[in-house]
Amino acid sequence: MAHTFEDLAALERAAEAAHAQYLAVDTDLDAARQAWIDAAAAFQAAVTEYAEAEGKPRVEVEMAVKKAVRHAGG
């Protein structure tokens, strides 16, 4: 499946949300940890596919997405 940069940003936001849920005080740690792992893995796989399709270095794509998500609106 071809991904867009926006798809990658959405996957990164989902991974960050899953991480926040894992850190929440009142959560099922095992389920939250697995959700975080799954979300992060989906992001990583999509970044790899996107980078290969675009002919760009994978790490540059990952850092660009993370920067866009973490610095959005600010």
Side-chain angles (χ1 to χ4, degrees), residues 3-23:
H3 295 282
T4 65
F5 191 86
E6 292 76 23
D7 293 337
L8 300 180
L11 288 167
E12 173 61 9
R13 285 191 293 275
E16 286 188 357
H19 182 235
Q21 183 61 38
Y22 174 70
L23 295 176

Side-chain angles (χ1 to χ4, degrees), residues 3-71:
H3 295 282
T4 65
F5 191 86
E6 292 76 23
D7 293 337
L8 300 180
L11 288 167
E12 173 61 9
R13 285 191 293 275
E16 286 188 357
H19 182 235
Q21 183 61 38
Y22 174 70
L23 295 176
V25 175
D26 59 341
T27 191
D28 174 354
L29 287 179
D30 290 333
R33 180 178 176 273
Q34 190 60 52
W36 176 28
I37 289 169
D38 293 345
F43 170 70
Q44 293 296 327
V47 166
T48 298
E49 290 173 17
Y50 180 89
E52 288 174 357
E54 295 292 317
K56 295 181 179 180
R58 192 203 163 289
V59 70
E60 288 181 16
V61 171
E62 181 178 354
M63 292 299 105
V65 173
K66 288 184 178 201
K67 182 178 179 181
V69 168
R70 292 177 184 170
H71 299 289

